[in-house]
Amino acid sequence: MAAALLLPLLVLLLLGSGGRGRAEPPRDSLREELVITPLPSGDVAATFQFRTRWDSDLQREGVSHYRLFPKALGQLVSKYSLRELHLSLTQGFWRTRYWGPPFLQAPSGTDHSFLRYAVLPREVVCTENLTPWKKLLPCSSRAGLSVLLKADRLFHTSYHSQAVHIRPICRDAHCTSISWELRQTLSVVFDAFTTGQGKKDWSLFRMFSRTLTEPCPLASESRIYVDITNFNQDNDTLEVSPAPTTTYQDTVLGTRKTYAVYDLHDTALITSSRHLNLQLKWKRRPDSEAPPVPFLHAQRYVSGYGLQKGELSTLLYNTHPYRAFPVLLLDTVPWYLRLYVHTLTITSKGKENKPSYIHYQPAQDRLQPHLLEMLVQLPASSVTKVSIQFERALLRWTEYTPDPNHGFYVSPSVLSALVPSIVATNPVDWEKGPLFNTLFPISDDSSYFVRLYTEPLLVSLPTPDFSMPYNVICLTCTVVAVCYGSFYNLLTRTFHIEEPSKGGLAKRLANLIRRARGVPPL
């Protein structure tokens, strides 16, 4: 009877285990990409992207098993119901005027009730920030493009920026279900003249002190793109080795670009020595040409004299010859710079330029900074100046930094705009196209979205003479030590009466002589 009952149960268990034993397609995927761009100034920019997509709703589904997506970030999204998370650590300043538009852009916000924005303009980026960032990668730094992430090379560059972006994306056109995307990006700008000993030649080993040996085994795609738009190997001016097998052409940031493509999954790409070292050598000195000026760039500075009042000024440049476009300007100013909103002036070509939208949130002392947001129309071929006056506040003596005379940093302004494109922009397949082409949304075929940051400012505040307390402390301690020491010495010293000695050295010598002669001593 028991055997008859166990037989059907065993059959059901075998059928169930057989159904679950079928290999299910993975719900997550990894793509890694490196884009190398020679800049107009002669420097070389390298942009890493590691994109992990997980077809799972972390906020609704009870997820307990993580394969490629980091568990720490997944639990953060599900526990706090995050809609998006964008964190970036940047050292240096992207010089848009000389390097062109930035390749990677900061995240955007729309709803102020859910948006949290914070900036630490003086935060120092070091290897302690890079190590946990690399641990989030599925292959860490053992294989794939992450092998090139060597700290001592990345932090000796003109510009360094690493970021983590988490956001939900639609799985289909109707957005019936969503997936979560984790995009880790790292951008560096190498000084080609310094690393190349006065030459514009570059290579992977010269920039990163390492070469590539294999792709990440967990990555479905591992590619390197080299910008060869302004280079032509037919005129014997340069040599790229190894020669690319394929090229890719598309419109990037409003300009037609051509890239040489290297697929690490191509076994023929890895040489017999099992390493890949991309190199670019100039056969003859290239003609010196002025770098192209981007249609939108900005500059910010502080003016005034004394330590009471001053003025913040932002210059917005629209170099397009015939098209005007609006720019959304966002400023966060610390509370210790008290803004005079009635002094806000916006001028273009010597005339007043009234913003079509303006939002101001006043600061609260020691609680929140000033928030100033406005939408300004930039005329064609113009320089628009936005200025506002402020008054410096006097801080408490405990609120000053250890080096108060160095000054206090003010976070940069943020510019968001739809910049006109030189050529028509084609729609991009976000899953099949390169990762660098999905960074910037496209509204239409005549413009592209860009976000820029101005340089941070260093403002001096009224500083008390911290040397006076030091001098007072030193003088007081000296007086107390001298007076108290003398008084204490008098109170605790004991005096003893000593009788005069009975003889000196001459007397002792005389007694020795008398004793030798047998005469009684003196």
Side-chain angles (χ1 to χ4, degrees), residues 69 84 104 151 158 215 357 383 387 397 422 426 501 505 515:
F69 203 94
E84 290 188 30
L104 289 177
S158 302
Y357 162 79
V383 179
S387 60
W397 73 273
I422 299 178
N426 300 323
S501 59
L505 179 62
R515 188 179 297 112

Side-chain angles (χ1 to χ4, degrees), residues 218-250:
L218 299 176
S220 60
E221 180 180 303
S222 181
R223 295 180 180 179
I224 301 177
Y225 294 84
V226 181
D227 188 357
I228 57 174
T229 304
N230 299 326
F231 304 145
N232 185 8
Q233 301 193 59
D234 298 335
N235 56 8
D236 296 333
T237 57
L238 61 86
E239 178 183 0
V240 180
S241 62
T245 56
T246 59
T247 58
Y248 174 79
Q249 294 184 353
D250 206 341

Side-chain angles (χ1 to χ4, degrees), residues 1 42 47 59 74 76 100 116 120 178 207 210 227 257 264 296 303 309 373 394 408 410 415 430 441 443 511 516:
M1 184 66 180
T47 303
Q59 297 180 354
L76 184 66
R116 300 294 181 266
L120 293 176
I178 64 171
M207 291 188 297
R210 291 178 180 176
D227 188 357
K257 296 287 187 178
L264 295 185
L296 175 64
S303 58
K309 297 182 179 180
E373 188 178 23
L394 184 63
F408 292 79
V410 180
L415 281 73
W430 285 47
S443 60
N511 289 334

Side-chain angles (χ1 to χ4, degrees), residues 151-386:
D152 60 341
R153 301 296 298 171
L154 296 179
F155 289 100
H156 287 80
T157 55
S158 302
Y159 175 83
H160 171 273
S161 178
Q162 63 188 65
V164 174
H165 307 279
I166 303 177
R167 64 175 182 176
I169 58 176
C170 298
R171 300 187 194 178
D172 50 28
H174 301 285
C175 204
T176 56
S177 58
I178 64 171
S179 302
W180 283 91
E181 180 192 68
L182 167 63
R183 188 172 296 207
Q184 295 179 243
T185 61
L186 188 144
S187 300
V188 290
V189 175
F190 293 92
D191 189 347
F193 291 95
T194 302
T195 58
Q197 298 179 355
K199 300 179 181 179
K200 289 187 177 182
D201 302 345
W202 58 263
S203 66
L204 290 183
F205 184 79
R206 183 174 294 175
M207 291 188 297
F208 302 102
S209 296
R210 291 178 180 176
T211 57
L212 296 173
T213 56
E214 60 179 348
C216 175
L218 299 176
S220 60
E221 180 180 303
S222 181
R223 295 180 180 179
I224 301 177
Y225 294 84
V226 181
D227 188 357
I228 57 174
T229 304
N230 299 326
F231 304 145
N232 185 8
Q233 301 193 59
D234 298 335
N235 56 8
D236 296 333
T237 57
L238 61 86
E239 178 183 0
V240 180
S241 62
T245 56
T246 59
T247 58
Y248 174 79
Q249 294 184 353
D250 206 341
T251 303
V252 180
L253 295 175
T255 307
R256 195 69 177 176
K257 296 287 187 178
T258 303
Y259 295 91
V261 184
Y262 299 89
D263 191 353
L264 295 185
H265 286 286
D266 186 3
T267 56
L269 185 62
I270 306 297
T271 60
S272 58
S273 58
R274 295 193 58 80
H275 73 90
L276 175 63
N277 183 25
L278 296 181
Q279 301 182 32
L280 186 145
K281 297 182 179 179
W282 291 89
K283 296 182 180 180
R284 61 180 178 87
R285 187 178 182 88
D287 300 333
S288 58
E289 298 179 358
V293 180
F295 286 156
L296 175 64
H297 61 279
Q299 180 184 0
R300 197 183 191 199
Y301 60 91
V302 60
S303 58
Y305 58 91
L307 294 177
Q308 182 180 4
K309 297 182 179 180
E311 185 178 77
L312 293 175
S313 301
T314 305
L315 301 180
L316 310 178
Y317 295 86
N318 177 12
T319 61
H320 200 283
Y322 55 87
R323 287 193 60 177
F325 54 87
V327 170
L328 184 64
L329 178 63
L330 174 65
D331 265 334
T332 54
V333 183
W335 63 268
Y336 45 77
L337 299 183
R338 308 188 187 281
L339 298 181
Y340 294 148
V341 185
H342 69 280
T343 63
L344 176 63
T345 57
I346 305 174
T347 57
S348 299
K349 296 183 176 181
K351 299 181 181 179
E352 182 182 1
N353 187 345
K354 293 184 178 180
S356 55
Y357 162 79
I358 187 169
H359 170 74
Y360 173 69
Q361 181 177 341
Q364 297 182 16
D365 289 357
R366 300 172 180 84
L367 293 179
Q368 69 179 22
H370 302 269
L371 176 64
L372 181 61
E373 188 178 23
M374 64 187 75
L375 186 64
V376 182
Q377 185 76 12
L378 303 184
S381 300
S382 66
V383 179
T384 301
K385 181 179 180 181
V386 180

Side-chain angles (χ1 to χ4, degrees), residues 459-478:
V459 179
S460 300
L461 295 182
T463 305
D465 188 2
F466 288 102
S467 64
M468 279 303 298
Y470 175 77
N471 296 334
V472 170
I473 292 174
C474 292
L475 180 61
T476 304
C477 292
T478 302

